[in-house]
Amino acid sequence: MSLTLTIKLHLASPPHFGLTHANKGTTCKTKTFSNTKVGAKPIYSATPLITPLCRVKPRVQCGGMVIKSSLIEPDGGALVDLVVPECVRSSKIVEAEILPKVQLTRIDLEWVHVVGEGWASPLRGFMREDEYLQSLHFNSLRVKGGSVVNMSLPIVLAIDDETKGRVESATHVALVGPDGDYVAILRSIEIYKHSKEERIARTWGTTAPGLPYVEEVITPAGNWLIGGDLEVIKPIKYNDGLDNYRLSPKQLRNEFDKRQADAVFAFQLRNPVHNGHALLMNDTRKRLLDMGYKNPILLLHPLGGFTKADDVPLDVRMEQHSKVLEDGILDPETTIVAIFPSPMHYAGPTEVQWHAKARINAGANFYIVGRDPAGMGHPTEKRDLYDPDHGKKVLSMAPGLEKLNILPFRVAAYDTKENKMAFFDPTRAQDFLFISGTKMRAYAKSGENPPDGFMCPSGWKVLVKYYESLQAEEASQQPVLSST
Amino acid sequence: MSLTLTIKLHLASPPHFGLTHANKGTTCKTKTFSNTKVGAKPIYSATPLITPLCRVKPRVQCGGMVIKSSLIEPDGGALVDLVVPECVRSSKIVEAEILPKVQLTRIDLEWVHVVGEGWASPLRGFMREDEYLQSLHFNSLRVKGGSVVNMSLPIVLAIDDETKGRVESATHVALVGPDGDYVAILRSIEIYKHSKEERIARTWGTTAPGLPYVEEVITPAGNWLIGGDLEVIKPIKYNDGLDNYRLSPKQLRNEFDKRQADAVFAFQLRNPVHNGHALLMNDTRKRLLDMGYKNPILLLHPLGGFTKADDVPLDVRMEQHSKVLEDGILDPETTIVAIFPSPMHYAGPTEVQWHAKARINAGANFYIVGRDPAGMGHPTEKRDLYDPDHGKKVLSMAPGLEKLNILPFRVAAYDTKENKMAFFDPTRAQDFLFISGTKMRAYAKSGENPPDGFMCPSGWKVLVKYYESLQAEEASQQPVLSST
């Protein structure tokens, strides 16, 4: 099965949300919308996953100003927003036209999206060598004033020898999207060696062949990295019917503020939600209420960038998630579903830090971490690539994440006595059935139903339909044996 | 050539230097010597490398008390010293006899030496998993109070399945040296998986076969690591004629204080000293004087633990260094030569942090770093394993090393116009001759003299003699062809 995620740039003018921009020297005096206007033109209206905006009176009202959030502070103190104001967009395109060009892949574009919206705050572009080395060696960056922010994955842009030769004498370059449009300008560039082997070894803790991100992104990439400050020419859109769910950290923060959240707990996932997950999320909310929080909001935050071929594709997952909310397994009143635009590395303990750090920037002060986060099987050995406990251990000790509350995942399994997903009780272990992802896929592929109570039936149907379509596709691709 | 370093445990009672010990619950009331007594019984008298102790009046006098150093603070605030006081030694041996035993290799013993003397302060033993993971992922440890100390290499003790089965139910274990004597007790043990592939990948940034430390230590090691707090039963001695040079961090700090050093600059090396090194060290002293320091002291600090087979062995290097001081190339009045007992990893940017951090604990506040520190050729590709500039870049950004002044190495080469080693002048590049280690070894092996002024003649003779002995040894090991 190949990756079905399609990425297209939206060339038509997207709505402007009146957000202020941190770009130096590019302030606009026109077209500043008030937040009321944002509310009046909800971007989420096409979806049942998020309760309508402005239902709860915003705590902070302002006209044309950034809402001052009382949520957890973004890394570096201020949320980075590198998308240039609409008023200067055309002049940036004119400038891009005369700059040397660097061609982006679809996954490069995902990173422009991620960095441009501030998920990696305070990072303001693709890493220069100092940042790359700190990320590789220390999983963190030292920022002005001496404090440290977490940054466990190198966020870099690779170029080949030909491109290097063409752009290295320039100060700024234009980044060209996969569809040929100008995506961004990269300023004050720095070109340095792409130490692929070292990058892979230090990020994944292995250099074994078969790591999905390595094979898809790093191996085919050029031998140079180009760092610099990003100016994103317009918001990145994919036109896949899911753009409304791609809320930026700023939009999420506004939403949390409007809902008067006093705690935000994030759940990162790249799999369908079963009732064990739901139990965990509902239990977390209960624990937060017990701790004295009045209105904890769940950020159910599926990863939307590159995933490996045998993961369930984003559109199927989103449909499945919507059923979980429609069925009331999760409460839409206290849940926001949005897409995290990052590509997946499958780098276990190193990557889970990135997943958590990015959610701080989106306003989450609690992060749920499970068994073997961002892990996978070892590509060449019959074992997990990472010790399943290392993810949460590393996360709990990671530099720059001290302000985040880590909530370890309690193990849920199917309780055959109660016929529902429940927290595993070791005193009656024999009553519990562990349904792994592989097992779940096997059920869905065979059309067999999992035990009652494993997943809401409408969500389960989404999966069955997906695997049926896959099998139909595979069958149609079987080579026809020529008769002899 | 095989490694010629021999390690033997000194079973006879070594002199006691009246140092106080940090071991909990093991204070001695007897046999506390004053520092004057240490001076009266100099351990360095057999060597011309260090000027006699007490030549300069100690700044701080005390009787039976630890000298309060005004030097840079050790990591964690207090220098760790895990060697138990002599008065409790015999009772520790009695205890060790009844504990489950863990057999040490020669290199394990070097690590007991390193940790026991406080080079790795505030580390108090072999790493438990929390420390191991922090070291692997962040090159640093968070300590009580939230501050961070550098710790780039995992300092761990591996055991095999059989040993694990034998000791895992115990709380404490006895560590047995290669010669069968009780070396230490490891308390409150924790056993966890030895994730060899991950350890290698994250430490070296490669998993290519042929890394010396990996082949010598990690590959043959067991699949488990055992962490715990060390109590070292007696100071580690090697009885190779060089123990007098193995000054502990505490002894070095005392020595710096006695010399009234107001700056200590450390030079880590595992090679013979040529006049380019000497130029650099002398120039550094001059720069420190220009900066206003009154008495900068050089710590010339050859690494004394495991080195790869084609490095010059420690005893030869020490003899060569002694000639450099005898010949006045370096000034004995302002130089201390001592042996750094750590084994070598050849892990480039990761290891140079360890080299620097350990010297902070010994009192150095300046650290000289050159091109490609702790680097080597890639074991399977025709290139340096590390970018030669990464070492000093990583060092300058490393967490926990902020208090250390990093002095980048200026490139010295042989000036064919002046017939001496000089700082490379790019405006007349053609006048300079770069004599690499390989080239130097080729000269020494062939008996050919390097250009005048490359190295002091008496030091050069030491190397020639060594390579001659090697060749003689090789010749004697040639298989004799039987006549037909």
Side-chain angles (χ1 to χ4, degrees):
Chain A
M1 192 202 107
S2 69
L3 186 70
T4 63
L5 176 68
T6 56
I7 303 172
K8 279 186 196 154
L9 269 184
H10 191 170
L11 293 175
S13 210
H16 187 276
F17 303 119
L19 307 172
T20 57
H21 295 273
N23 298 293
K24 279 177 290 189
T26 52
T27 51
C28 285
K29 290 189 177 165
T30 56
K31 294 203 184 188
T32 307
F33 295 80
S34 75
N35 275 286
T36 319
K37 191 142 187 176
V38 179
K41 230 184 163 183
I43 52 169
Y44 321 114
S45 56
T47 151
L49 299 196
I50 297 172
T51 51
L53 286 185
C54 299
R55 194 167 173 160
V56 178
K57 197 182 168 200
R59 186 163 27 179
V60 187
Q61 291 274 6
C62 54
M65 300 284 287
V66 178
I67 288 179
K68 174 88 179 108
S69 176
S70 61
L71 301 164
I72 189 172
E73 199 174 61
D75 275 352
L79 195 60
V80 164
D81 178 358
L82 304 172
V83 185
V84 301
E86 198 175 0
C87 58
V88 298
R89 198 166 289 167
S90 56
S91 69
K92 296 293 175 187
I93 293 176
V94 169
E95 184 186 356
E97 279 169 353
I98 57 167
L99 290 175
K101 315 286 182 288
V102 170
Q103 180 65 48
L104 301 181
T105 65
R106 293 189 185 279
I107 292 175
D108 293 335
L109 186 66
E110 291 175 2
W111 283 118
V112 171
H113 185 177
V114 164
V115 177
E117 288 187 345
W119 297 96
S121 295
L123 193 72
R124 301 189 62 84
F126 286 106
M127 290 181 174
R128 298 190 178 89
E129 194 177 38
D130 274 5
E131 293 158 331
Y132 173 68
L133 289 173
Q134 289 181 75
S135 169
L136 270 195
H137 287 273
F138 315 131
N139 288 7
S140 59
L141 299 181
R142 202 181 299 167
V143 293
K144 232 185 247 176
S147 69
V148 159
V149 296
N150 190 269
M151 188 65 70
S152 61
L153 294 184
I155 299 182
V156 290
L157 179 59
I159 54 174
D160 59 18
D161 295 1
E162 182 276 323
T163 306
K164 174 175 180 274
R166 205 160 36 70
V167 308
E168 63 190 342
S169 60
T171 307
H172 317 305
V173 298
L175 305 186
V176 180
D179 296 331
D181 50 344
Y182 294 113
V183 167
I185 293 173
L186 194 65
R187 301 217 175 264
S188 308
I189 61 165
E190 179 187 298
I191 296 175
Y192 56 102
K193 269 186 228 148
H194 189 186
S195 51
K196 292 186 188 185
E197 182 189 48
E198 185 175 8
R199 177 182 172 194
I200 296 164
R202 295 197 194 278
T203 303
W204 279 270
T206 178
T207 59
L211 298 167
Y213 190 88
V214 171
E215 302 221 323
E216 179 77 21
V217 178
I218 301 182
T219 307
N223 292 318
W224 305 94
L225 298 175
I226 181 168
D229 297 323
L230 267 180
E231 271 184 6
V232 182
I233 293 176
K234 59 180 181 297
I236 309 295
K237 297 293 168 194
Y238 301 76
N239 296 325
D240 56 356
L242 300 173
D243 281 332
N244 279 346
Y245 292 104
R246 292 190 175 91
L247 304 189
S248 70
K250 186 171 281 177
Q251 290 171 316
L252 284 169
R253 284 175 170 269
N254 285 347
E255 183 64 18
F256 297 137
D257 262 342
K258 284 187 189 130
R259 297 217 193 180
Q260 297 187 300
D262 59 354
V264 175
F265 59 113
F267 190 74
Q268 141 77 28
L269 75 171
R270 60 170 217 271
N271 280 311
V273 172
H274 60 57
N275 288 352
H277 297 135
L279 171 68
L280 180 82
M281 290 184 266
N282 288 326
D283 182 66
T284 300
R285 180 171 153 84
K286 196 175 157 297
R287 282 160 67 197
L288 292 173
L289 289 169
D290 289 348
M291 285 163 71
Y293 290 100
K294 299 298 174 207
N295 188 25
I297 297 287
L298 163 64
L299 172 59
L300 183 68
H301 215 195
L303 179 136
F306 165 79
T307 50
K308 61 189 169 66
D310 63 348
D311 278 356
V312 178
L314 179 63
D315 55 346
V316 180
R317 285 184 278 133
M318 290 303 286
E319 195 184 342
Q320 195 270 349
H321 298 345
S322 77
K323 300 299 179 193
V324 171
L325 274 99
E326 274 176 25
D327 278 17
I329 306 290
L330 291 174
D331 176 11
E333 288 290 319
T334 56
T335 303
I336 291 179
V337 185
I339 293 172
F340 176 47
S342 172
M344 188 77 201
H345 271 57
Y346 304 92
T350 301
E351 185 167 26
V352 71
Q353 297 171 64
W354 161 243
H355 287 173
K357 177 237 164 65
R359 273 51 176 247
I360 290 178
N361 284 331
N365 56 339
F366 287 88
Y367 186 83
I368 301 174
V369 61
R371 185 187 173 279
D372 201 16
M376 53 175 265
H378 193 287
T380 60
E381 298 172 23
K382 279 210 161 185
R383 61 173 175 95
D384 288 329
L385 177 51
Y386 304 106
D387 182 315
D389 291 329
H390 280 186
K392 63 169 176 280
K393 286 183 185 171
V394 167
L395 190 61
S396 70
M397 302 185 290
L401 297 184
E402 298 82 0
K403 61 186 171 183
L404 185 67
N405 301 291
I406 312 292
L407 298 167
F409 208 104
R410 291 172 65 189
V411 178
Y414 189 75
D415 185 341
T416 56
K417 284 279 182 289
E418 302 284 335
N419 292 331
K420 63 175 189 179
M421 294 298 284
F423 289 121
F424 178 67
D425 176 357
T427 64
R428 49 183 193 92
Q430 72 284 355
D431 295 345
F432 286 87
L433 187 64
F434 284 88
I435 301 174
S436 67
T438 310
K439 179 93 180 164
M440 187 183 75
R441 282 194 290 270
Y443 279 133
K445 278 181 190 173
S446 67
E448 191 187 345
N449 280 333
D452 273 356
F454 171 71
M455 187 184 287
C456 63
S458 59
W460 181 251
K461 270 184 204 150
V462 173
L463 294 188
V464 171
K465 191 180 71 181
Y466 165 65
Y467 281 104
E468 280 172 0
S469 74
L470 262 194
Q471 283 169 336
E473 195 181 312
E474 278 165 18
S476 72
Q477 287 171 357
Q478 292 293 324
V480 179
L481 290 176
S482 59
S483 56
T484 52
Chain B
M1 194 200 103
S2 69
L3 186 72
T4 63
L5 176 66
T6 55
I7 303 173
K8 278 185 198 153
L9 270 185
H10 193 171
L11 293 178
S13 208
H16 186 274
F17 303 121
L19 306 172
T20 57
H21 296 274
N23 296 296
K24 279 177 290 184
T26 51
T27 51
C28 288
K29 289 189 177 168
T30 57
K31 294 206 185 186
T32 305
F33 295 80
S34 74
N35 277 286
T36 319
K37 192 140 189 177
V38 179
K41 233 186 160 183
I43 52 168
Y44 321 117
S45 57
T47 150
L49 299 194
I50 298 174
T51 50
L53 286 183
C54 299
R55 193 169 174 158
V56 178
K57 195 181 168 204
R59 188 163 25 177
V60 187
Q61 292 275 6
C62 55
M65 298 286 287
V66 178
I67 288 180
K68 171 91 182 110
S69 176
S70 61
L71 301 164
I72 189 171
E73 198 173 65
D75 275 352
L79 195 60
V80 164
D81 179 357
L82 305 172
V83 185
V84 302
E86 199 174 0
C87 59
V88 298
R89 198 167 290 166
S90 55
S91 70
K92 297 290 174 188
I93 292 174
V94 169
E95 182 185 357
E97 279 168 354
I98 57 165
L99 290 175
K101 315 285 181 287
V102 170
Q103 179 64 49
L104 302 181
T105 67
R106 294 190 183 280
I107 293 175
D108 293 335
L109 186 67
E110 291 175 3
W111 283 119
V112 172
H113 186 174
V114 164
V115 176
E117 287 187 346
W119 296 96
S121 295
L123 194 71
R124 300 188 63 84
F126 286 107
M127 290 180 174
R128 298 189 178 91
E129 194 177 39
D130 275 4
E131 294 158 331
Y132 173 69
L133 289 173
Q134 289 181 74
S135 170
L136 270 195
H137 286 273
F138 316 131
N139 287 7
S140 58
L141 299 181
R142 202 182 299 168
V143 293
K144 232 186 248 178
S147 69
V148 159
V149 297
N150 191 269
M151 188 65 70
S152 61
L153 294 184
I155 299 182
V156 288
L157 179 59
I159 54 173
D160 58 19
D161 295 1
E162 182 275 323
T163 307
K164 173 176 179 276
R166 207 160 35 70
V167 308
E168 64 190 343
S169 60
T171 307
H172 317 306
V173 298
L175 305 185
V176 180
D179 296 331
D181 49 345
Y182 294 114
V183 167
I185 293 172
L186 194 65
R187 299 217 176 265
S188 309
I189 61 164
E190 178 187 300
I191 297 175
Y192 55 103
K193 270 187 227 148
H194 189 185
S195 52
K196 291 187 188 185
E197 182 190 49
E198 185 175 9
R199 176 182 173 193
I200 295 164
R202 296 197 193 277
T203 303
W204 280 271
T206 179
T207 58
L211 298 167
Y213 190 88
V214 170
E215 301 221 323
E216 180 76 21
V217 179
I218 300 181
T219 305
N223 291 320
W224 304 94
L225 298 175
I226 180 168
D229 297 324
L230 267 179
E231 272 184 5
V232 182
I233 292 176
K234 59 181 182 294
I236 309 295
K237 298 293 168 194
Y238 301 77
N239 296 325
D240 56 357
L242 300 172
D243 281 332
N244 280 346
Y245 292 104
R246 293 191 174 90
L247 305 189
S248 70
K250 186 172 279 178
Q251 290 170 317
L252 283 168
R253 284 176 169 267
N254 285 346
E255 183 65 18
F256 297 137
D257 261 341
K258 283 186 190 131
R259 297 217 193 180
Q260 297 186 302
D262 58 355
V264 175
F265 58 113
F267 191 74
Q268 141 76 28
L269 75 172
R270 61 170 216 269
N271 280 311
V273 172
H274 60 57
N275 288 353
H277 297 135
L279 171 67
L280 179 81
M281 290 185 265
N282 288 327
D283 182 67
T284 300
R285 181 171 152 84
K286 197 175 157 298
R287 282 160 67 197
L288 292 174
L289 289 169
D290 289 347
M291 284 162 72
Y293 290 100
K294 300 298 176 206
N295 190 26
I297 296 288
L298 165 64
L299 171 61
L300 183 68
H301 215 196
L303 178 135
F306 165 79
T307 50
K308 62 189 167 69
D310 64 347
D311 277 356
V312 178
L314 179 64
D315 56 345
V316 180
R317 285 185 278 134
M318 291 303 287
E319 194 183 344
Q320 194 270 349
H321 299 344
S322 77
K323 300 300 178 191
V324 171
L325 273 99
E326 274 176 25
D327 279 17
I329 306 290
L330 291 173
D331 176 11
E333 288 289 319
T334 58
T335 303
I336 291 179
V337 185
I339 293 171
F340 176 47
S342 172
M344 188 77 200
H345 270 58
Y346 305 92
T350 302
E351 184 167 25
V352 70
Q353 298 171 62
W354 161 243
H355 287 173
K357 176 239 163 68
R359 273 51 176 247
I360 290 177
N361 283 331
N365 55 339
F366 287 88
Y367 187 82
I368 301 174
V369 61
R371 185 188 173 280
D372 201 17
M376 55 173 267
H378 192 287
T380 59
E381 298 173 22
K382 279 211 162 185
R383 61 173 176 96
D384 288 329
L385 177 51
Y386 304 106
D387 182 316
D389 291 329
H390 280 186
K392 63 171 177 279
K393 286 184 186 171
V394 168
L395 190 60
S396 70
M397 301 185 291
L401 297 183
E402 298 82 0
K403 61 188 172 184
L404 184 67
N405 301 291
I406 312 291
L407 298 167
F409 208 103
R410 291 173 63 191
V411 178
Y414 189 76
D415 184 340
T416 56
K417 283 282 182 288
E418 301 285 337
N419 292 332
K420 63 174 189 183
M421 294 299 284
F423 289 121
F424 178 67
D425 176 357
T427 65
R428 50 184 191 91
Q430 71 286 355
D431 295 345
F432 286 87
L433 188 64
F434 285 88
I435 302 175
S436 65
T438 312
K439 180 95 178 163
M440 186 184 75
R441 281 194 290 271
Y443 278 132
K445 278 181 188 173
S446 68
E448 192 187 346
N449 280 333
D452 274 356
F454 171 72
M455 188 184 285
C456 65
S458 59
W460 183 251
K461 269 185 204 148
V462 173
L463 294 188
V464 171
K465 192 179 72 182
Y466 164 66
Y467 280 104
E468 280 173 0
S469 74
L470 261 196
Q471 284 169 338
E473 195 181 312
E474 279 165 16
S476 72
Q477 288 172 354
Q478 292 293 323
V480 179
L481 290 175
S482 59
S483 56
T484 52

